[in-house]
Amino acid sequence: MLNKVSVKYIAPLAIFVAMAILFWRGLSENPTVVPSPLIGKPVPNFSSPSLLFPQKNLTNKIFLGHVSILNVWASWCYSCRAEHPVLMNAKLEDNAIIYGLDYKDKSQAAISWLKKEGNPFQSIINDPKGQLAINFGVYGTPETFLIDKKGIIRYKYIGPISPEVWKDDFLPRIKTLQQL
Amino acid sequence: MIFYRELKHYNNCKCKAYFSILMLSLFFFASSVFASAKPLYSFQTRSQSQQFDRITHQLRCLVCQNENLADSQANFASDMRGQIYKMVKNGFSDSEIKNYMVKRYGDFILYNPPFNKMTIFLWSTPILLLLIGIIIFFTMVYRKKP
């Protein structure tokens, strides 16, 4: 039934539709987001001092046994302030276990910042030189990792977390991982 | 226009002097383009220095994503350069350093995409399209018309 004439008419339309779909999908994505190769891999080994209790040493063992969030932030990072209420809410309302990675920051400035804005973190890893952040593939702040009970990185979000992103991207994943 | 006026009175000594000063200052301003604010890393051997240059030109800045690590002024780029400097001084090879970066940041940190089964279309499509275009051209030109 498909004769030569109708193919000549349908082919350009089909090609156009295919391209339109490709463009629709491609242009709606953020091109500057770099996908992380660490998804599915265990958290890199580390041993760093805690920001608030410098005598205390934090290692990757802190992530074992529960679903955790690791939030890379700094007191100088403007967008981190924007997502801060979302993290506070996540801790209070959803009982989320959130660890912080204080990235290339001055300890005093970070501690004052937390005193002023509130502290959503169970513990904060102090990374003043950004050395640990390199192992996590961090290239800007804020970046947030979702880590399962075995310490495997399951999801990474780049940019400040809005309430919608928390509700739609993080909560469902957290619930799934909690049941594993 | 100003140059025409300068040239017309070039024989005049005073204007010759002004002209020379003008050209010299333009030259110096122009050559300041080559100055950069980057700290200079020092190496023990020339091959290490070359390795550093080579690698920083082959990796991408993830903040200014169209630039390589050698040229980018972003903080991320200077952090990466510092890390690469440490690794070069400790004797890591090109592939070891690049693998270190790819393991943490993914293939995108390579300025030139690698050639593997994921990127085979990225590399081959331009050549393929060119070949298809040439074939179409010749079939159109040499088709016998009734």
Side-chain angles (χ1 to χ4, degrees):
Chain A
M1 207 175 101
L2 210 67
N3 53 33
K4 259 195 166 174
V5 179
S6 71
V7 166
K8 250 210 299 205
Y9 288 125
I10 290 177
L13 179 65
I15 294 172
F16 173 75
V17 169
M19 286 185 71
I21 294 171
L22 274 175
F23 278 123
W24 187 270
R25 274 202 58 209
L27 289 171
S28 65
E29 290 180 32
N30 182 348
T32 62
V33 165
V34 180
S36 174
L38 297 176
I39 309 281
K41 299 228 165 57
V43 164
N45 286 332
F46 66 91
S47 173
S48 302
S50 149
L51 175 75
L52 298 175
F53 306 103
Q55 324 88 304
K56 189 168 157 202
N57 209 44
L58 299 169
T59 70
N60 35 313
K61 290 206 171 72
I62 57 176
F63 299 119
L64 297 176
H66 47 241
V67 177
S68 334
I69 304 274
L70 177 67
N71 177 253
V72 181
W73 68 282
S75 63
W76 46 260
C77 160
Y78 188 70
S79 337
C80 302
R81 188 169 297 167
E83 76 170 354
H84 193 78
V86 178
L87 295 177
M88 293 296 291
N89 196 54
K91 182 185 174 188
L92 295 167
E93 298 281 327
D94 302 310
N95 297 315
I97 298 173
I98 310 176
Y99 294 96
L101 180 72
D102 191 19
Y103 175 67
K104 300 193 71 188
D105 208 353
K106 295 211 157 53
S107 303
Q108 206 41 58
I111 295 171
S112 318
W113 193 92
L114 289 172
K115 278 210 172 88
K116 189 166 148 240
E117 309 278 338
N119 184 2
F121 304 116
Q122 303 286 323
S123 307
I124 304 148
I125 306 162
N126 197 12
D127 192 18
K129 297 227 175 82
Q131 195 61 40
L132 177 57
I134 294 180
N135 285 336
F136 275 95
V138 170
Y139 62 96
T141 46
E143 293 186 7
T144 309
F145 296 87
L146 179 61
I147 301 165
D148 72 11
K149 296 180 185 176
K150 296 204 173 109
I152 310 278
I153 296 174
R154 292 297 190 162
Y155 180 63
K156 181 184 181 186
Y157 187 77
I158 293 175
I161 300 175
S162 66
E164 292 74 34
V165 167
W166 178 254
K167 198 177 93 182
D168 299 333
D169 291 345
F170 278 92
L171 272 183
R173 288 183 164 91
I174 292 174
K175 291 207 158 64
T176 312
L177 290 174
Q178 276 172 339
Q179 281 152 20
L180 285 176
Chain B
M1 272 193 276
I2 193 172
F3 286 115
Y4 176 70
R5 218 167 12 132
E6 299 283 353
L7 284 169
K8 244 174 102 176
H9 300 289
Y10 195 72
N11 285 325
N12 178 312
C13 266
K14 204 160 145 201
C15 277
K16 226 190 220 176
Y18 284 145
F19 184 67
S20 311
I21 291 171
L22 173 73
M23 293 314 285
L24 270 175
S25 43
L26 279 179
F27 174 76
F28 281 121
F29 279 125
S31 60
S32 70
V33 160
F34 299 111
S36 74
K38 293 183 285 222
L40 292 169
Y41 290 106
S42 61
F43 294 95
Q44 301 272 21
T45 70
R46 194 182 158 81
S47 81
Q48 278 188 340
S49 165
Q50 286 173 336
Q51 184 188 22
F52 180 80
D53 281 337
R54 195 169 50 240
I55 296 177
T56 53
H57 278 91
Q58 288 172 349
L59 294 177
R60 184 190 305 272
C61 173
L62 297 183
V63 174
C64 305
Q65 294 180 348
N66 55 331
E67 291 187 306
N68 56 32
L69 289 182
D71 298 331
S72 174
Q73 307 277 21
N75 283 331
F76 171 78
S78 70
D79 290 346
M80 289 292 111
R81 283 194 296 267
Q83 179 68 22
I84 294 167
Y85 174 67
K86 272 198 282 185
M87 294 181 87
V88 164
K89 282 201 84 173
N90 284 325
F92 285 91
S93 70
D94 277 32
S95 57
E96 279 169 334
I97 296 176
K98 286 198 270 191
N99 285 337
Y100 176 95
M101 291 299 176
V102 168
K103 196 169 151 214
R104 286 154 178 76
Y105 292 98
D107 283 342
F108 193 59
I109 198 161
L110 295 171
Y111 205 50
N112 289 316
F115 189 78
N116 54 39
K117 58 181 198 276
M118 291 289 286
T119 60
I120 193 162
F121 282 116
L122 178 68
W123 283 106
S124 54
T125 310
I127 301 170
L128 279 176
L129 285 177
L130 180 67
L131 280 174
I132 293 171
I134 292 174
I135 292 170
I136 293 176
F137 172 75
F138 279 111
T139 49
M140 302 285 268
V141 164
Y142 290 108
R143 183 180 299 172
K144 287 203 169 105
K145 293 218 172 105

